Every structure is written in C-alpha cells, then in structure tokens.
Amino acid sequence: ILVLDSIHRRLQGLHRAEQANLSRKSKLEVARETIVAGTADVMFPILATTLTTIVAFLSFIFLSGRLALYYVPLAISVGTAMFASIFVAFAWIPVVLNQTWATRMVGRSEDGTVEVHDPSALHAFVEDVPDLETKPSWPQRLVMWSQSLWWLLIPAAVALMFWGHSVYEEKVIKGGFWKLPDQQNLIVFFRMPPGTDIRIASETMAGFEASLMPIHDGATMTAQVFGNQAYMEIEFDDSLLRSGIPILYRSLLEEVADGVGGTAVFIRGFAETPYIKGNLRGSNLNSLIKITGYNSKRLTEIAERNLAKVKSNRRVRNARISGSQRFGRASTDETVIALRREVLAEHGLTVLDVVGYLRRLLGVDTPWEMLVEGQQKRVQLSFYDADSIEFSDVAQHVLTTPDGERVQLGDLITMQTLPLSDEIVRENQRYSLNVNWEYVGTDRMRTSYIKRVLDSMDLPYGYTAEESLQQFLTDEEEDELWWTLILAAAFILIIMMALFESFPIPLLVLTSLPMALFGVFMIYWLTTSSYDSSAQIGLVLLFG
C-alpha cells in the first residue's frame, strides 16, 4: 500500500511529460521512472520497519518450555509473512505495474514529437520538488518548538520513565501464562463415565443449551464437546450483568444438572460457591500454591503451617491440602482419634484396652497365629458390624471396664476429621503438595493475596513454592521474557546501525522504547488489565 501510494503521488510527472509533448516511448520511460522513484521513496522506511520487526523475533530462540511451544511458531509465521511482504513490495508490485499499468496508461495519451533519451532529463519530469515557501502546519510548528525545549523535555522524560517503572512494580497486575475465565461468566463443565460415546455427551450438552433457549440479546453461549466431557461458557453484556438473567440461567442449569444421572457436573459463576455433583475431583477453589521438596514429612509440616496462615484470612474459604493439581481438592478425609488419658485412669482402663476395643470395632485389629482344631490358622477378632459401622457411630458404643462398669467411648476419646490428600505426587523425585483455597473477592485481590502468601513463605534450602494453576509465570519464564525484550532491542539497534550507517541516530531513535514502556504500563494500570506473557510478547512487536 505504501509503494502504491508513493507512486500515485509521483504521477504528476506523467502529466508534465504530456504537457511537454513527449513521444509515447519517452512517456513510457517516464512512467517506468515513476515506478522506480516511487518505490525508492519508501524503500528505506519499509525496509527499516520490516527488518527491525523480523529481527526482534530472533530473540524468541532463547525461549523454552511452554513459552517456546506457543510463541516460537508465532515468530516463524510472522517473520516469514513479513519477509514475503518485502518481496511483494519491492519486486512483484513494480514488475506488475511496469507490465500492465504503465503501457496501458501511456497508450491512452496522444503521441508527441519530442524525444528525450537523457536519463537525467527524464528524471527531471519525475522529480518531486518540495515547496519550501508553504507555511508549516501547526503540528510541525509544535514539534519544532518542542525541540528548542530539550533542556526541559529530557528531565521530564527521565522522570516519567522512573515513574512508569514504579507504576509497573506497584500498580500493574502481573498476570502469567494462563488466565482464568472471567468470574462474570457462567461456566458449565461435565464429565460422563469413561467410554461414553461423544454423541451421548453432545446430546447431554444440548439439554443444558435447550434449558436457556431462547437466549437473551446480550448473552453469548459457546459449547464444546470432547470425548466424554463437555464445556460451556456464557458471556453477558454489561446491561445483562445488572439484571437477574445470569442468576436465572444458573438456576436453570442446576435444575438440568440435578436430573442428569451418572455424570459429574461443575457449574461456576454468580454465586459464592459453585455447583458440584459427582466425583469431579474439583471444587470452587480458585487459589493453589504448590510446594515441593525432597522430604515428604517436612513438606507436610510446611504445607500445614502455611495452611493455618491462609485460614486466618477472613476472605478465605475451604482451605485444605491436597496432591491434586488440576482441580486441587482432596477427595478423602482423615479421622484422628485421641485418648483422654485422665478419664481412662478414673475408670481403671489402660491405653491398650481402649485401642484394642477400637481396632476390633473398626475391623483393623492385629491378627495372630493360633491352633484351631489342630491346624495353624491366622485369626483376627472384630465386631460383627465392623464392615458397616460409620465413624459417627463410634462414640456411641459402650465399653465394659474390668470392674464391670459400662462407659461410652465418647467419654474416653475425642475425634477430629481433617482433610487428607489421597495422592502421592512426585516430580523429578521431589514430593509435591498443594495448599488450595477459595478466595472471595475480585481477581486482582485474589492474585495479590497469592503473591503475598508466596512472598511470606520461609522455605528451607531445596524447597520451592509457586502458584499451581499456571496462571503466574515462573521465575525462569520471567527472566526469559525480559531477556527476550533486551535482545530484541539489541538486534533492532544492530539492524538500524547497518541501515543508517551511523550509531548516534539509531541510539536516538531507540530512546522511544522507554517512553513506549511507560505508555504500556499506564494503560494496563488504568484499565486494571493483567500484564501477562502475551503482553510482553506484544512489546517485541511494539519495539520493532
């Protein structure tokens, strides 16, 4: 487009050639000179902007892991497309214009008598002499006036850059690689038994969709079915968010979920807690911290200490420890029975008396070998209802003391139910546990609280803690992204030095990058948007 526009601005040369009564052959040479001159006018800026963007992507070669998986193909595709655009602008367009447009345009004009063969004379028709007598426009005068105030603008620019850095450190929300769906959206996820045909899953999802039809204006419903699972997300315009429609939709979806059998269903949005049905191994927990270490006992102690710290926050709900990483909720509980030794002494009971009774009551008594009818057999004692007894009924059982006194177990023991992870997770021979909880508040408050918890952790050598939902970037990934920006700026400087054949001018141009960073940080702060990995990759494009 820039090439065509530049050639179009030089078409006045053909008009001058026609007024000079040039021959058709000479006018054709003027037309070709117009194509060459118009392309040359924009060759340097196009080459500079395109090459600097292409080389900026070279910094992606240092990315690794998921950053490389997602962004290196972007660099290859964009770089290839931009290189192809240079070929189109400087090779294909001039050749096509010369073969089609120039000949036809000259053919439509009358053939003159004047022949011109001197290249400099032909170029004089094409030359676009600037008008130096025209008064500069007010934007031009403003720029020229600002240049005289360099002594004031430079300190102001430096102060802005330092302030922009403080805005980034204190005000901007530091996102990560992944972003959770907006809490103002309605989310439905269900999983059917393994082996379920995808058509059955699709029909089940169609039932959820049908319950909301006809969909209100301002609401957008998107559904996906994959194997025996399905996912639906409903987005609402601001006008609907202030109405009762989202809450009505959630009630309708829960009504459908209640009638679906053999299916684990998860519904989230527009309520403090989500709807959970079946063995989904998930929950409303929206905050997870993964702690890793080589000693599982020490790791458990660290996790429990931080769990107690998290529970003290009044905005935290359902805090617990688990090994699961996907939905992050322990699926089993542990009941701890403690003996009241002072009560045992009052009734003349020993610890072994009570422990033995409890073990037989629960069907976990220690077996032993004994002769039964002349044969050596393994024997284990238990009460007849040991296989079906509920833990809540244990305290109601009665134990007979050696003196014949009958005492309820509830008077001799205390029971406490604690969440227990049913998984042992190891990564690279290191044990892993998750401290997970539901945070009631905005996403900005939640992410800020997670970071405060991580910063307050005092971990021994060899133990690490990180946000476990992969929403945040790891320290290594943050370092890689910053090195990517630094290398992009360095590669751009090298290319500009080669193009300008100078060092001061490219360095002067490169001073615009800190100002661009200031603008980016201000926008992210004012819009409360999350500055994630995509934003930093966008800076590479902005730099180029």
Side-chain angles (χ1 to χ4, degrees):
I1 292 175
L2 288 173
V3 169
L4 292 174
D5 180 67
S6 178
I7 294 173
H8 181 265
R9 285 187 291 103
R10 283 184 171 269
L11 282 180
Q12 55 187 344
L14 277 177
H15 180 64
R16 288 194 293 264
E18 190 169 349
Q19 289 181 331
N21 200 26
L22 294 186
S23 66
R24 184 170 302 179
K25 181 179 179 181
S26 297
K27 282 189 287 187
L28 185 60
E29 292 298 325
V30 172
R32 290 170 177 169
E33 183 73 23
T34 300
I35 296 173
V36 173
T39 304
D41 283 345
V42 293
M43 178 174 288
F44 185 85
I46 289 179
L47 201 62
T49 55
T50 308
L51 289 182
T52 50
T53 304
I54 291 175
V55 298
F57 281 112
L58 289 179
S59 58
F60 283 23
I61 61 177
F62 295 95
L63 296 178
S64 62
R66 55 178 176 165
L67 293 175
L69 181 65
Y70 281 87
Y71 294 125
V72 169
L74 171 68
I76 295 173
S77 59
V78 173
T80 304
M82 298 192 74
F83 184 80
S85 73
I86 294 181
F87 171 80
V88 170
F90 298 149
W92 188 80
I93 288 180
V95 170
V96 170
L97 289 177
N98 179 58
Q99 293 179 349
T100 59
W101 167 79
T103 304
R104 293 178 182 178
M105 176 171 282
V106 172
R108 288 197 296 266
S109 64
E110 296 182 1
D111 190 7
T113 58
V114 179
E115 291 279 353
V116 178
H117 302 285
D118 185 11
S120 59
L122 290 172
H123 183 74
F125 286 96
V126 183
E127 186 177 2
D128 188 14
V129 180
D131 185 6
L132 300 180
E133 297 180 359
T134 303
K135 186 179 180 181
S137 61
W138 70 266
Q140 292 174 320
R141 294 197 302 271
L142 180 63
V143 171
M144 289 186 289
W145 175 75
S146 66
Q147 290 174 346
S148 63
L149 299 177
W150 62 267
W151 53 272
L152 179 62
L153 294 178
I154 290 179
V158 173
L160 278 178
M161 285 184 277
F162 277 103
W163 185 47
H165 181 267
S166 66
V167 167
Y168 173 76
E169 292 293 336
E170 301 173 8
K171 305 290 186 180
V172 175
I173 304 172
K174 313 299 193 305
F177 194 81
W178 303 109
K179 187 179 185 299
L180 281 177
D182 196 333
Q183 292 286 349
Q184 294 180 331
N185 293 353
L186 198 54
I187 305 296
V188 178
F189 172 80
F190 70 76
R191 181 173 62 236
M192 307 189 80
T196 302
D197 191 275
I198 189 172
R199 289 174 294 183
I200 298 177
S202 179
E203 292 172 0
T204 305
M205 175 53 77
F208 283 93
E209 297 177 54
S211 67
L212 306 181
M213 301 302 292
I215 199 78
H216 284 75
D217 292 336
T220 305
M221 178 170 57
T222 306
Q224 300 177 12
V225 181
F226 36 96
N228 64 328
Q229 305 176 49
Y231 174 87
M232 180 168 68
E233 182 173 354
I234 306 169
E235 300 179 9
F236 301 94
D237 288 348
D238 292 340
S239 58
L240 286 184
L241 288 175
R242 293 188 290 269
S243 68
I245 297 300
I247 299 176
L248 172 63
Y249 278 11
R250 174 169 175 134
S251 301
L252 295 173
L253 292 171
E254 290 181 358
E255 185 177 344
V256 176
D258 290 336
V260 177
T263 302
V265 185
F266 174 85
I267 302 175
R268 194 195 76 181
F270 301 99
E272 183 175 339
T273 57
Y275 172 97
I276 301 175
K277 175 187 175 183
N279 185 24
L280 193 60
R281 296 183 58 78
S283 76
N284 56 327
L285 307 181
N286 55 16
S287 307
L288 285 85
I289 289 179
K290 182 173 70 174
I291 310 173
T292 58
Y294 290 104
N295 187 301
S296 60
K297 184 177 180 180
R298 184 76 178 276
L299 184 66
T300 302
E301 294 174 354
I302 295 173
E304 290 177 346
R305 184 169 64 249
N306 285 280
L307 177 66
K309 184 190 306 180
V310 168
K311 283 183 175 180
S312 63
N313 190 297
R314 60 187 178 86
R315 288 186 173 271
V316 170
R317 305 285 189 274
N318 304 323
R320 59 197 303 156
I321 296 173
S322 74
S324 172
Q325 295 184 23
R326 173 60 179 163
F327 286 96
R329 180 172 185 170
S331 60
T332 59
D333 291 325
E334 173 185 67
T335 301
V336 179
I337 298 177
L339 302 181
R340 302 172 64 183
R341 293 176 179 268
E342 68 283 358
V343 180
L344 296 185
E346 293 176 2
H347 295 282
L349 293 171
T350 65
V351 171
L352 292 179
D353 291 335
V354 180
V355 171
Y357 185 88
L358 284 169
R359 294 180 67 88
R360 291 189 293 274
L361 185 63
L362 302 176
V364 294
D365 195 25
T366 305
W368 70 91
E369 302 285 339
M370 66 177 297
L371 285 173
V372 179
E373 297 179 352
Q375 294 183 358
Q376 190 78 10
K377 291 191 176 182
R378 191 175 180 85
V379 178
Q380 181 181 9
L381 294 179
S382 68
F383 286 88
Y384 72 94
D385 58 348
D387 292 335
S388 59
I389 190 171
E390 296 287 341
F391 281 101
S392 57
D393 299 331
V394 170
Q396 300 176 6
H397 276 256
V398 177
L399 181 147
T400 304
T401 67
D403 298 333
E405 181 185 0
R406 296 171 63 83
V407 184
Q408 254 193 350
L409 273 178
D411 297 332
L412 305 175
I413 63 174
T414 59
M415 298 198 312
Q416 183 182 11
T417 301
L418 301 173
L420 175 68
S421 172
D422 60 348
E423 295 176 285
I424 297 177
V425 180
R426 282 193 294 268
E427 298 178 7
N428 298 327
Q429 295 186 327
R430 299 177 69 189
Y431 291 96
S432 174
L433 280 178
N434 283 319
V435 179
N436 41 21
W437 65 90
E438 176 198 4
Y439 187 87
V440 181
T442 64
D443 188 64
R444 181 171 186 172
M445 294 167 63
R446 181 186 64 83
T447 55
S448 177
Y449 179 67
I450 293 176
K451 290 184 177 181
R452 288 202 304 272
V453 172
L454 289 172
D455 294 340
S456 65
M457 284 188 175
D458 185 16
L459 299 175
Y461 180 78
Y463 291 78
T464 60
E466 62 181 3
E467 195 273 338
S468 185
L469 284 177
Q470 290 190 318
Q471 293 176 280
F472 296 173
L473 294 171
T474 63
D475 293 339
E476 293 79 7
E477 288 173 335
E478 287 187 352
D479 290 342
E480 286 182 3
L481 285 174
W482 281 112
W483 273 111
T484 298
L485 292 177
I486 294 172
L487 290 172
F491 292 155
I492 291 170
L493 178 62
I494 293 172
I495 287 294
M496 292 180 65
M497 288 169 58
L499 291 173
F500 281 97
E501 298 181 358
S502 168
F503 177 72
I505 294 178
L507 192 63
L508 181 64
V509 174
L510 221 62
T511 57
S512 63
L513 299 188
M515 299 303 296
L517 281 174
F518 167 76
V520 169
F521 297 156
M522 288 296 296
I523 290 174
Y524 272 89
W525 171 39
L526 295 175
T527 60
T528 65
S529 301
S530 179
Y531 184 79
D532 57 10
S533 60
S534 298
Q536 290 193 279
I537 295 300
L539 278 181
V540 174
L541 281 169
L542 180 63
F543 282 12

